[in-house]
């Protein structure tokens, strides 16, 4: 399934039930220093990670002192805007500042522009009704300005002081101002104050600043505003509708605008003053039986921010209990005050602390796992423990799994991408819905990608699939959105965007852009992961576990592997190949900045991409703001600190003997020794030698009660068909479970390790 066909060892498999409950699969994030992320620990102020060769993890934290110094530097560079504001609002200081700029350029500018602005208002507004016709007043010429900084100051000052005007420059650097038709368009939908603030906000484009637009009780008006903002300012502005609760019990609906990040690289970089002025709060999230995106959506709603404002290192399993670090671009005080609104089942948030930046993808060493397999057995070897009590069965299973654990420690497991990378099984040849969505994105078929995400499961009839089926059959976005449960955040977000932009190719593209960036990437990575799994199976099937010329390897000893560390073993160079083992071999994830193996597997990469019409794909999706550089992944991986134990859960001593230990023919003396037999069986069973249980138990009864050996043997024979183990114990009472504790590096799947143990194909 999903290209996983091979195994590292040929030891006998062990069967069991995985994820019977979320509590059977516990995942805890391990940070870059090798420490487990905890929910109840007290942590000090931390910062974003930067490279430091002296640090044990290869990365270090920015000190709090450096952070304070950078804040002071930002104040010196921008004395007027020294303090960051959560929401934009015009101020008297800014008004004086921009009037001073105009007076500094020309003493008559303010008076001339003020008179022109009043004339424009009189012409454009009559009886409080906005005219959307073209301006009848000719532009006002201000003169020639060759200095770009002067022109920039003029742009900013005019738009701030006179929002209904705009400045423009001709080819000969002559500046003039005229009426802004865009202002008139928004003024027809907004109150004058909001229309003015919108134009000022657009002119400033200050990252991390927000603007709230209210006074729009009609949903149709809000829809028009959203569409206008997306049409004219969508390249740098985001808009979203929020509802706030007033003290009197009433609610207010408003639109919040936010300037987008210029790029993901600038968002993470910590040079300059703009990034330092942003406050970040780190916290620990524990979720149970929830997708990461659903949990983030619930937290974002409680904190009144966008899901994209919350950063984290990686996505965790849904059907599990997971603990991971997160961060949000809000001050600690605001987060503490707003978290009281968090009322989501399966979510616990704690460990609030200050940070100097967001958490970046991959900012973790890996994950620690505690997994329980229920009701384990040995497929094909049932005779070994048939008619055995849990104690004897446990001894047999322990002896078997001890060999399996040694193989894992010595040979590792094939580093396949696990099933959760691909989601539920799908009806297509790839059998992965997520991979099919990613393939459609790579093929620039946005309509198909959206339809795949909203495809119903024919085997289910719940509300989610009913809403998806309605959309597929009728394309009625509004009706499907009403039926879609609100907890399906991704689907609701997609339907809302389709309702706003339409269901055509361009509308579907914008709808996909509404999905958080890391989720869009996940679809692409799901497809490239599927390709990797197939190539890994082909590499092992054709060349086994030996290093051959043409392989890509990472030299041993490199912990933090990067793409630059990969070495191509030249064809025919057997000497170089002999220096490495299969544990050093890596295979590439397709992308625009990787090298493929120089043997038959390299050709197989080309063939499989050509079969999907991706032979000329550059893996740069500018329309979806996604760049896929590719990466290298180890073919074989090892568990760290593997520990295990087999236990019997819920076993009661009074249920161990539902029937007498020996025949009633022996008499009451034998029945009185039930407790003695139980104690002896428990002690002998710990010696991993179940064959001694029967003899020891019988010998104990014979000595203590004076019963002859012949009578005891006869009694034992009569009990052969009465659910009694050879040791005299009842084998109907309980099953054995296996508990595993281990750690894995980031992007390594515990389910792939379990697959090696259970030999699942």
């Amino acid at each position: 399934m999903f290209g996983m066909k091979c195994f590292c060892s040929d030891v006998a498999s062990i069967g069991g039930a995985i994820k019977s409950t979320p509590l059977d699969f516990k995942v805890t994030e391990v940070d870059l220093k090798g420490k487990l992320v905890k929910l109840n620990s007290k942590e000090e102020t931390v910062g974003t990670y930067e490279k430091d060769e002296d640090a044990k993890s290869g990365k270090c934290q920015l000190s709090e002192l450096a952070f304070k110094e950078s804040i002071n530097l930002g104040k010196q560079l921008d004395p007027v805007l020294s303090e960051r504001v959560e929401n934009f609002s015009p101020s008297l200081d800014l008004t004086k500042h921009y009037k001073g700029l105009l007076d500094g350029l020309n003493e008559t500018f303010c008076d001339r522009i003020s008179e022109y602005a009043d004339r424009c208002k009189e012409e454009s507004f009559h009886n409080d009704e906005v005219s959307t016709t073209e301006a009848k007043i000719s532009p006002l010429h201000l003169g020639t300005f060759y200095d770009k900084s002067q022109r920039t100051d003029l742009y900013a000052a005019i738009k701030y002081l006179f929002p209904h005007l705009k400045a423009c420059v001709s080819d000969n650097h002559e500046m003039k101002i005229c009426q802004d038709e865009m202002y008139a368009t928004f003024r027809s939908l907004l109150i004058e104050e909001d229309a003015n603030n919108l134009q000022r906000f657009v002119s400033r484009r200050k990252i991390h600043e927000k603007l709230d637009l209210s006074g729009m009780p009609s949903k149709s008006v809000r829809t028009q505003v959203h569409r206008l903002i997306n049409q004219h300012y969508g390249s740098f502005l985001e808009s979203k509708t929020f509802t706030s609760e007033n003290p009197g019990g009433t609610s207010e609906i408003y639109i919040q605008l936010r300037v987008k990040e210029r790029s993901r690289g600038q968002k993470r970089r910590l040079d300059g003053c703009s990034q330092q002025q942003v406050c970040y709060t780190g916290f620990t999230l524990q979720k149970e039986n929830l997708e990461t995106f659903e949990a983030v959506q619930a937290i974002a709603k409680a904190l009144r921010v966008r899901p994209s404002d919350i950063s984290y290192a990686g996505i965790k399993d849904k059907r599990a209990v997971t603990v991971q670090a997160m961060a949000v671009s809000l001050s600690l005080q605001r987060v503490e005050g707003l978290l009281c609104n968090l009322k989501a089942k399966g979510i616990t948030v704690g460990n609030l602390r200050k940070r100097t930046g967001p958490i970046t993808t991959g900012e973790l060493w890996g994950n620690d796992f505690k997994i329980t397999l229920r009701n384990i057995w040995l497929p094909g070897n049932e005779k070994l423990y048939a008619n055995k009590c849990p104690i004897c069965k446990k001894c047999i299973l322990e002896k078997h799994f001890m060999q399996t654990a040694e193989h894992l420690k010595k040979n590792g497991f094939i580093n396949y991408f696990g099933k959760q990378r691909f989601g539920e099984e799908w009806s297509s040849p790839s059998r992965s819905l997520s991979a099919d969505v990613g393939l459609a994105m790579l093929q620039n078929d946005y309509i198909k990608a959206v339809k795949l995400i909203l495809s119903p499961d024919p085997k289910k009839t719940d509300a989610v699939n009913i809403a998806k089926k309605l959309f597929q059959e009728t394309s009625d976005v509004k009706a499907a959105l009403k039926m879609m449960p609100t907890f399906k955040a991704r689907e609701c977000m997609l339907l809302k965007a389709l309702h706003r932009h339409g269901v055509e190719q361009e509308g579907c593209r914008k709808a996909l852009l509404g999905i958080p960036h890391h989720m869009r990437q996940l679809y692409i990575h799901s497809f490239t992961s599927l390709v990797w799994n197939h190539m890994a199976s082909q590499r092992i099937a054709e060349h086994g576990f030996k290093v051959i010329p043409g392989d890509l390897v990472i030299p041993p000893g490199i912990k933090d592997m990067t793409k630059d560390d990969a070495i191509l073993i030249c064809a025919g160079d057997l000497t170089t190949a002999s220096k490495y083992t299969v544990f050093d071999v890596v295979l590439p994830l397709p992308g625009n900045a990787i090298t493929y193996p120089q043997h038959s597997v390299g050709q197989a990469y080309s063939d499989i991409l050509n079969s999907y019409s991706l032979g000329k794909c550059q893996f740069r999706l500018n329309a979806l703001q996604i760049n896929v550089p590719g990466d290298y992944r180890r073919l074989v991986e090892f568990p760290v600190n593997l520990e295990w134990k087999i236990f019997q859960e819920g076993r009661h001593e009074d249920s161990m003997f539902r029937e007498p230990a020996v025949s009633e023919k022996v008499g009451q003396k034998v029945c009185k020794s039930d407790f003695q037999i139980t104690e002896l069986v428990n002690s002998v069973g710990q010696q991993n030698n179940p064959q001694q249980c029967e003899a020891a138990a019988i010998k104990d009864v014979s000595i203590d009660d004076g019963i002859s050996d012949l009578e005891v043997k006869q009694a034992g024979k009569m009990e052969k068909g009465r659910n009694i183990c050879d040791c005299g114990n009842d084998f109907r009472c309980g099953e054995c479970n296996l508990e595993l504790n281990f750690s894995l590096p980031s992007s390594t799947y515990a389910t792939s390790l379990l697959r090696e143990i259970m030999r699942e194909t």
Side-chain angles (χ1 to χ4, degrees):
M1 182 183 296
F2 303 126
M4 297 179 283
K5 301 177 182 179
C6 302
F7 299 92
C8 271
S9 60
D10 56 356
V11 295
S13 63
I14 189 168
I18 304 176
K19 296 185 179 181
S20 299
T21 68
L23 294 175
D24 286 347
F25 205 91
K26 298 179 180 179
V27 186
T28 304
E29 205 168 74
V30 182
D31 64 20
L32 291 170
K33 292 186 176 181
K35 296 181 179 179
L36 297 180
V37 174
K38 296 184 179 180
L39 187 65
N40 57 355
S41 65
K42 295 182 179 180
E43 301 183 31
E44 299 178 354
T45 301
V46 298
T48 54
Y49 293 101
E50 293 183 342
K51 293 183 179 179
D52 184 358
E53 296 180 356
D54 297 330
K56 179 180 179 181
S57 63
K59 297 184 179 180
C60 69
Q61 296 175 343
L62 182 68
S63 66
E64 186 175 4
L65 178 60
F67 174 65
K68 291 180 178 179
E69 290 178 351
S70 62
I71 291 293
N72 294 333
L73 176 61
K75 292 181 178 180
Q76 295 173 8
L77 294 175
D78 194 352
V80 177
L81 305 174
S82 59
E83 297 296 333
R84 174 184 182 269
V85 292
E86 294 291 339
N87 287 282
F88 169 77
S89 60
S91 65
L92 183 61
D93 290 338
L94 283 175
T95 302
K96 292 180 179 179
H97 173 70
Y98 285 122
K99 282 186 177 180
L101 281 176
L102 293 179
D103 291 338
L105 295 174
N106 192 313
E107 294 181 358
T108 63
F109 270 0
C110 276
D111 294 337
R112 290 171 58 193
I113 298 174
S114 295
E115 292 177 3
Y116 181 81
D118 292 339
R119 287 165 52 201
C120 291
K121 278 190 175 182
E122 292 176 2
E123 183 68 27
S124 300
F125 300 99
H126 181 66
N127 296 329
D128 294 332
E129 293 183 359
V130 182
S131 173
T132 58
T133 60
E134 294 184 359
K136 297 179 181 180
I137 301 178
S138 59
L140 175 65
H141 295 267
L142 300 179
T144 303
F145 295 86
Y146 294 99
D147 188 351
K148 185 178 179 180
S149 62
Q150 287 184 333
R151 296 197 301 269
T152 302
D153 290 341
L154 269 174
Y155 282 129
I158 291 172
K159 183 54 69 173
Y160 187 87
L161 297 174
F162 311 101
H164 61 290
L165 302 179
K166 66 177 181 179
C168 53
V169 62
S170 62
D171 294 338
N172 58 356
H173 304 290
E174 183 183 6
M175 291 285 296
K176 61 182 179 180
I177 58 174
C178 59
Q179 289 177 284
D180 190 348
E181 294 83 3
M182 189 56 58
Y183 174 86
T185 303
F186 279 101
R187 180 66 182 86
S188 64
L189 301 171
L190 304 173
I191 60 175
E192 183 176 1
E193 181 183 0
D194 282 348
N196 292 343
N197 288 339
L198 173 60
Q199 294 302 312
R200 292 166 177 154
F201 184 77
V202 169
S203 176
R204 286 161 56 86
R205 301 190 187 187
K206 189 171 181 61
I207 298 177
H208 304 298
E209 199 170 55
K210 301 173 184 177
L211 173 66
D212 295 340
L213 304 177
S214 57
M216 293 173 288
S218 172
K219 184 176 181 180
S220 61
V221 173
R222 294 195 298 272
T223 301
Q224 292 183 58
V225 172
H226 280 300
R227 287 178 175 172
L228 282 172
I229 290 172
N230 182 73
Q231 179 181 354
H232 298 286
Y233 310 125
S235 61
F236 62 92
L237 277 189
E238 293 177 321
S239 64
K240 187 175 182 181
T241 300
F242 287 93
T243 302
S244 63
E245 300 293 335
N246 296 326
T250 60
S251 60
E252 179 184 4
I253 302 177
Y254 62 94
I255 293 177
Q256 186 176 91
L257 305 181
R258 188 188 69 167
V259 179
K260 296 179 181 178
E261 302 287 352
R262 291 190 181 92
S263 69
R264 294 182 63 82
Q266 287 184 349
K267 181 178 179 181
R268 297 172 183 173
R269 196 168 58 227
L270 210 57
D271 52 356
C273 63
S274 60
Q275 179 73 14
Q276 271 76 356
Q277 292 176 348
V278 183
C279 298
Y280 286 88
T281 298
F283 60 92
T284 299
L285 165 68
Q286 177 178 296
K287 64 179 183 66
E288 179 178 341
N289 203 27
L290 273 179
E291 288 186 0
T292 302
F293 184 61
E294 292 179 13
V296 169
Q297 187 78 7
I299 296 172
K301 184 177 181 181
L303 296 179
R304 302 176 187 174
V305 298
R306 298 176 182 274
S308 56
D309 289 329
I310 299 175
S311 57
Y312 44 94
I315 296 175
K316 300 293 183 283
D317 301 75
K318 175 185 177 181
R319 189 167 176 78
V321 176
T322 66
V323 179
Q324 65 187 119
M326 290 192 168
V328 60
S329 56
L330 283 178
S331 64
L332 181 61
Q333 292 76 14
R334 287 207 67 196
V335 173
E336 289 175 333
L338 293 173
L339 271 182
C340 58
N341 299 327
L342 180 60
K343 298 177 182 178
K345 184 178 180 181
I347 296 178
T348 306
V349 175
N351 294 68
L352 303 183
R353 66 266 187 192
K354 295 180 181 178
R355 280 186 62 95
T356 60
I359 296 176
T360 58
T361 302
E363 192 177 302
L364 77 165
W365 174 85
N367 297 283
D368 184 78
F369 297 88
K370 183 177 181 180
I371 300 173
T372 301
L373 300 183
R374 301 286 176 182
N375 303 331
I376 59 175
W377 72 92
L378 301 178
N381 295 284
E382 288 81 359
K383 293 182 180 180
L384 291 177
Y385 52 86
N387 299 336
K388 297 291 183 181
C389 68
I391 298 173
C392 297
K393 184 178 179 180
K394 176 186 174 185
C395 296
I396 297 171
L397 291 170
E398 283 179 340
K399 182 178 180 180
H400 166 83
F401 192 76
M402 188 177 297
Q403 298 176 353
T404 304
E406 291 301 320
H407 274 279
L408 272 175
K409 294 177 181 178
K410 181 180 179 181
N411 302 319
F413 60 95
I414 301 176
N415 196 16
Y416 286 123
F417 288 93
K419 294 179 181 179
Q420 61 268 43
R421 183 76 163 190
F422 310 105
E424 298 181 1
E425 283 194 64
W426 185 238
S427 56
S428 68
S430 72
R431 303 183 69 180
S432 169
L433 176 60
S434 298
D436 285 352
V437 174
L439 175 60
M441 289 181 176
L442 288 169
Q443 294 172 338
N444 298 322
D445 193 345
Y446 309 128
I447 296 178
K448 181 179 179 181
V450 168
K451 287 185 176 180
L452 284 171
I453 297 175
L454 296 175
S455 296
D457 187 342
K459 299 179 182 179
K460 298 180 180 179
T461 58
D462 56 346
V464 175
N465 284 280
I466 291 175
K468 289 182 177 180
K469 186 177 181 180
L470 177 64
F471 172 77
Q472 292 287 344
E473 294 177 349
T474 65
S475 297
D476 190 339
V477 178
K478 190 174 182 180
L481 183 58
K482 286 183 178 180
M483 297 186 66
M484 184 66 67
T486 55
F487 70 86
K488 298 300 290 185
R490 185 186 318 159
E491 287 78 1
C492 288
M493 187 177 295
L494 202 60
L495 288 170
K496 287 179 180 178
L498 291 174
H499 179 59
R500 178 183 300 178
H501 305 296
V503 294
E504 304 301 327
Q505 176 80 346
E506 181 62 16
C508 289
R509 183 188 71 83
K510 292 181 178 179
L512 291 172
L513 283 173
I515 300 176
H517 184 270
H518 66 274
M519 290 300 302
R520 299 198 301 274
Q521 280 189 319
L522 190 63
Y523 287 122
I524 305 294
H525 292 164
S526 180
F527 172 76
T528 58
S529 301
L530 185 64
V531 172
W532 192 97
N533 278 6
H534 282 287
M535 295 299 98
S537 296
Q538 185 163 340
R539 165 64 177 77
I540 295 172
E542 292 184 1
H543 306 293
F545 293 95
K546 295 182 179 180
V547 182
I548 62 173
D551 271 334
L552 290 161
V553 297
I554 298 291
I558 297 179
K559 296 182 179 180
D560 299 327
M561 183 178 67
T562 65
K563 291 187 293 183
D564 296 333
D565 296 323
I567 297 175
L568 178 65
I569 298 178
C570 298
D573 190 352
L574 298 177
T575 304
T576 305
S578 63
K579 296 180 180 179
Y580 301 100
T581 66
V582 69
F583 309 129
D584 304 317
V585 174
V586 295
L587 288 178
L589 283 156
N592 55 51
I594 52 94
T595 301
Y596 291 100
Q598 299 298 314
H599 48 57
S600 59
V601 178
Q603 182 60 41
Y605 270 100
S606 178
D607 294 341
I608 194 171
L609 293 178
N610 287 330
S611 68
Y612 290 114
S613 301
L614 296 177
K616 297 181 180 180
C617 179
Q618 299 298 316
F619 291 92
R620 294 182 186 272
L621 309 180
N622 295 329
L624 294 179
Q625 300 176 7
I626 296 176
N627 178 37
V628 186
D631 204 352
Y632 298 101
R633 182 177 178 86
R634 292 190 185 276
L635 183 62
V636 176
E637 196 56 84
F638 292 86
V640 178
N641 299 327
L642 174 63
E643 297 178 355
W644 60 276
K645 68 177 180 180
I646 295 176
F647 65 97
Q648 305 153 31
E649 191 173 51
R651 181 172 62 84
H652 301 285
E653 296 296 339
D654 56 358
S655 66
M656 292 294 291
F657 297 93
R658 295 192 179 97
E659 299 183 24
V662 291
S663 173
E664 294 179 359
K665 177 184 177 182
V666 181
Q668 294 183 356
K669 291 183 180 181
V670 176
C671 297
K672 289 180 181 179
S673 64
D674 284 356
F675 178 75
Q676 298 173 352
I677 294 176
T678 301
E679 292 296 320
L680 186 60
V681 167
N682 287 337
S683 62
V684 175
Q686 299 299 323
Q687 302 176 11
N688 296 341
N689 193 351
Q691 288 75 12
Q692 297 180 1
C693 292
E694 178 182 3
I698 292 176
K699 181 179 180 181
D700 182 70
V701 173
S702 302
I703 294 174
D704 291 346
D705 296 303
I707 304 173
S708 67
D709 292 342
L710 179 61
E711 290 178 317
V712 173
K713 290 180 180 180
Q714 291 176 347
K717 290 180 180 179
M718 295 179 66
E719 284 297 310
K720 291 293 183 181
R722 301 185 62 186
N723 301 319
I724 301 299
C725 176
D726 293 340
C727 66
N729 214 344
D730 191 336
F731 62 75
R732 300 175 304 173
C733 49
E735 296 290 343
C736 293
N737 306 316
L738 172 64
E739 181 179 285
L740 295 168
N741 289 84
F742 56 90
S743 298
L744 294 175
S746 60
S747 191
T748 305
Y749 288 78
T751 50
S752 296
L753 181 146
L754 294 177
R755 175 184 173 276
E756 188 76 28
I757 294 173
M758 306 176 75
R759 309 287 292 184
E760 291 183 346
T761 57

